[in-house]
Amino acid sequence: MDSYPNLRGDYSQMATDYTIAQDWARYTEEEHARWRMLYARQAKLLKRFAAQEFIDGTATLDAGDGIPDLEIASARLSRATGWRLVAVPGLIPETDFFAHLARRQFPVTNWIRKADEIDYLVEPDIFHDFFGHVPLLFNPVFADYMQLYGEKGAEAEKLGTSKILVRLYWYMVEFGLIRTDGGLKAYGAGMLSSAAETRFSIEDKSPNRLRFDLKRVMRTSYKIDDFQETYFVLDSFDELFEATRRDFAPLYELTQRQPEITPDRIVAGDRVITLGDGSWKQRRDQAA
Ligand code: HBI
Ligand code: FE
């Protein structure tokens, strides 16, 4: 694990594909209580802010009583879309992460955040991975998109364009919005596992919200340690799946010839749904 210095998980017992046994029996009552608190706080927001498909997947999982046993959740999930969950010690190299997705296996970190990290932590813990990512794997179209994304991973590694592909994951899997008859809804794991960013992504006047455009997302950089300055909005999960079926090689070429777009900017051709005022930064700094 030299490429992942000072990560907190225990990588000593893992298999060659970075999986480990979850060992569900070892979680403490205090950790289960922390899970219940995180779950209850987030579940309250879903009706108002989350896409219906996410709400449905969460209901099927019914994991509010404590840290879920991945074997039990896997059995339910594989009956629905053929996806299975595998326990991992934390962040794993992209190559291995993509390879798991390509085999319809979702890596779930086996540890839960500490009590003083309730509102924010850098690495994904089991609450982010399970509560944020697993519900949509019950949706057949999104489930197929995630496997296709994984398959694209191997190609991107060969082409040296993983950085561009990872942007698609960041904006459309971690922080995606979707247009519905009931208005904009969140479906991204990064926002729906965070109470603050769930509200921010839908209600705040600061961020830009742009119509999804594959080439635009591929050009757009991102920061990992604060709310997004731009969110991209799908009309449907089919739209994301269809876009990802395209041959990415020419798109990578095009992207590499064009300047990167920083997340605060609007450029010609953007289909702007809401233009942000960018006020979050100074509000954040004043609050600090
Ligand atoms: N590892 N365990 C884990 N979980 C992730 O979500 C994850 C990862 N490694 C790499 C990664 N995500 C991103 O770079 C993906 O876009 C590939
Ligand atoms: Fe994630």
Side-chain angles (χ1 to χ4, degrees):
M1 290 311 301
D2 53 344
S3 57
Y4 278 73
N6 61 36
L7 285 181
R8 60 205 281 184
D10 172 7
Y11 289 74
S12 61
Q13 307 302 319
M14 64 191 182
T16 48
D17 64 357
Y18 285 84
T19 56
I20 52 172
Q22 180 186 14
D23 188 7
W24 183 81
R26 73 178 165 74
Y27 295 117
T28 65
E29 193 32 47
E30 200 264 331
E31 286 174 318
H32 284 298
R34 204 172 311 145
W35 170 279
R36 283 193 292 273
M37 189 279 290
L38 283 163
Y39 189 99
R41 184 175 72 164
Q42 221 35 44
K44 272 208 303 271
L45 301 175
L46 297 187
K47 186 146 182 45
R48 180 147 167 241
F49 296 107
Q52 191 55 46
E53 294 84 350
F54 187 95
I55 295 172
D56 296 346
T58 303
T60 307
L61 281 166
D62 186 24
D65 297 341
I67 296 175
D69 181 329
L70 298 184
E71 275 311 306
I72 295 171
S74 260
R76 214 167 279 178
L77 178 60
S78 58
R79 274 197 297 280
T81 57
W83 273 81
R84 292 195 60 75
L85 305 178
V86 288
V88 291
L91 278 175
I92 65 176
E94 277 170 10
T95 308
D96 303 84
F97 184 73
F98 287 135
H100 280 298
L101 299 189
R103 291 201 304 274
R104 288 178 99 89
Q105 285 181 177
F106 194 82
V108 178
T109 291
N110 71 331
W111 49 263
I112 189 166
R113 65 192 71 183
K114 297 200 175 346
D116 64 358
E117 298 174 302
I118 289 299
D119 289 320
Y120 181 74
L121 78 165
V122 181
E123 276 182 72
D125 71 335
I126 192 165
F127 186 75
H128 166 83
D129 282 339
F130 191 96
F131 188 93
H133 283 286
V134 180
L136 276 183
L137 294 175
F138 282 86
N139 172 273
V141 176
F142 198 84
D144 286 349
Y145 159 73
M146 286 291 277
Q147 178 173 21
L148 187 54
Y149 177 88
E151 289 162 1
K152 294 271 186 194
E155 174 198 47
E157 305 255 330
K158 271 199 215 78
L159 296 171
T161 56
S162 296
K163 184 168 174 259
I164 299 174
L165 183 66
V166 168
R167 287 173 178 166
L168 187 60
Y169 187 91
W170 182 266
Y171 279 110
M172 303 323 291
V173 175
E174 296 292 355
F175 293 101
L177 296 176
I178 189 163
R179 255 199 308 217
T180 74
D181 301 343
L184 293 188
K185 298 288 183 184
Y187 72 85
M191 68 238 301
L192 286 175
S193 55
S194 152
E197 190 146 10
T198 296
R199 291 181 187 284
F200 180 86
S201 69
I202 300 284
E203 286 183 328
D204 203 281
K205 56 187 177 24
S206 180
N208 300 318
R209 297 174 184 86
L210 308 178
R211 266 293 279 127
F212 169 71
D213 174 287
L214 184 60
K215 294 201 281 281
R216 173 61 157 88
V217 174
M218 284 184 163
R219 291 182 60 191
T220 310
S221 60
Y222 58 87
K223 299 188 191 83
I224 66 165
D225 56 1
D226 200 350
F227 294 155
Q228 307 317 304
E229 295 170 273
T230 292
Y231 294 99
F232 291 95
V233 182
L234 289 175
D235 262 349
S236 68
F237 293 127
D238 276 312
E239 179 184 26
L240 182 59
F241 179 63
E242 287 313 316
T244 309
R245 283 163 61 95
R246 293 174 58 179
D247 175 8
F248 279 8
L251 299 177
Y252 290 143
E253 294 250 312
L254 177 69
T255 306
Q256 288 172 319
R257 285 200 305 273
Q258 297 173 305
E260 190 177 276
I261 301 172
T262 53
D264 55 317
R265 285 186 49 216
I266 297 283
V267 299
D270 282 347
R271 289 172 289 167
V272 178
I273 293 173
T274 59
L275 184 64
D277 66 6
S279 56
W280 162 246
K281 278 215 172 72
Q282 69 245 44
R283 276 186 274 146
R284 177 199 60 193
D285 297 347
Q286 272 156 10

